[in-house]
Amino acid sequence: DLEEHKNYYYIAYDNFDTTLKKVIDEGIETYDVKQILMNAVEGIEYLHSKGIIHRDIRPQNILIKNGPDFAIGKLSNFAFSKELPPGFDLQSISRSLIPTGYVARELYEYYRSEAGKSGERKKCIDKSVDIFSMGIVMFETLTNGFHPYCKGEEGDRQYNIINKMKPNFKPFDGKNLKLERWQVEIARHLITSMLLAPSERPPASDVLNHPFF
């Protein structure tokens, strides 16, 4: 539910059973992670259709609720979200960005730039930052916890993203994937496209229409 009062919006959530982060860390096998990932992308698509970018997509912020037939995933934590009018870039943004290891390079650089400090509109940050983050989340979920930009601390991963390290797809050759073998190349194709340069990343609608889902 959503309620509006003066300059604030209040969002009421159901009680949720766990997070995607916990599912990954504990290796829980009872969830259909493909369904949960699809739900998360559906949430991103909805936000983007309203001109909003989330800017903090990561497993901790994907909540899971058990249903009678299957579990569903929901996006949470909109502290860094921002409404973007068509054709505009970020303005008056917070300087409290956390290098989580899921932040797109261009977004991190904007926060650290002089333009970001002054609020100048010199660099366009668009919806593709959420697609990049979701690509990492999908990789990590399907490989049982491996990160495409190395299995280090969050700061190390962010450092590798900033320095244009190529994503490491070797975990996709392992035996512990949460995929059937025929799905591996399809998933690899989708995630690879989500981790490309901003202008080359697919919109959320194309992600949902990909054969993987």
Side-chain angles (χ1 to χ4, degrees), residues 74-148:
K74 293 281 188 180
L75 295 180
S76 67
N77 192 352
F78 294 87
F80 292 108
S81 63
K82 180 74 175 180
E83 184 175 4
L84 287 182
F88 285 78
D89 54 13
L90 295 182
Q91 304 175 68
S92 303
I93 59 177
S94 166
R95 294 283 299 158
S96 57
L97 178 71
I98 301 172
T100 61
Y102 299 89
V103 179
R105 177 173 176 266
E106 68 273 15
L107 179 56
Y108 188 88
E109 287 185 339
Y110 184 87
Y111 271 89
R112 294 293 177 257
S113 70
E114 290 302 316
K117 292 176 183 178
S118 63
E120 295 177 27
R121 293 170 52 198
K122 290 184 178 179
K123 216 172 186 181
C124 184
I125 305 297
D126 59 23
K127 302 169 186 176
S128 68
V129 298
D130 288 342
I131 300 299
F132 180 88
S133 300
M134 190 64 208
I136 296 178
V137 170
M138 290 176 62
F139 186 107
E140 198 170 12
T141 303
L142 296 175
T143 59
N144 287 292
F146 286 95
H147 193 284

